[in-house]
Amino acid sequence: MKGGDKYYWTKHSLYKMRHYGLSGQRIKRIIRHPARVEEAIVPNLIAAMQPAGKKNYSEIWTIYKPVKNKKQIKVITAWRYPGKSPARNPIPREILDEIKSII
């Protein structure tokens, strides 16, 4: 998938996007304008979410890692969560601002 120099897509993320019917543009939109951002299960990774659907509510999640030396975003995975997921650990605002400067 072409993402320019800004995004690096793992094979796992491409597989999951195809499985859940998600486009690269949709994942980029979630990273740029998330409704909720949390610390991922894996240390030093970020999980971002946007809601999807009104009738059958679901959430689209992605896990990514900002690579500072290359000014790149490495997309690890993406999935669709049925229903509303419970809130966990939010990311501090200063880290989010630093990520926005990369994007």
Side-chain angles (χ1 to χ4, degrees), residues 9 17 21-33 49-53 58-60 62 80:
W9 305 88
M17 287 165 50
L22 303 171
S23 67
Q25 190 62 35
R26 177 69 165 154
I27 300 304
K28 289 178 190 179
R29 187 170 30 149
I30 293 169
I31 292 171
R32 281 189 225 124
H33 305 289
M49 178 278 292
Q50 272 188 352
S58 65
E59 297 174 343
I60 300 174
T62 185
R80 187 179 300 266

Side-chain angles (χ1 to χ4, degrees), residues 36-95:
R36 193 164 86 208
V37 179
E38 297 180 353
E39 185 179 347
I41 294 171
V42 180
N44 301 323
L45 297 182
I46 298 168
M49 178 278 292
Q50 272 188 352
K54 297 204 183 245
K55 188 175 181 181
N56 295 327
Y57 182 85
S58 65
E59 297 174 343
I60 300 174
W61 283 88
T62 185
I63 293 181
Y64 64 95
K65 177 180 183 176
V67 182
K68 293 180 185 177
N69 59 351
K70 294 183 181 180
K71 295 201 177 216
Q72 200 175 45
I73 302 276
K74 184 176 185 178
V75 180
I76 308 297
T77 189
W79 71 96
R80 187 179 300 266
Y81 184 87
K84 184 162 177 58
S85 62
R88 292 182 355 119
N89 303 331
I91 301 289
R93 175 50 82 204
E94 60 272 2
I95 294 175

Side-chain angles (χ1 to χ4, degrees), residues 3-19:
D5 295 330
K6 194 171 259 191
Y7 294 90
Y8 174 78
W9 305 88
T10 62
K11 288 183 180 183
H12 179 77
S13 68
L14 295 174
Y15 170 77
K16 288 296 187 175
M17 287 165 50
R18 187 174 31 242
H19 176 76

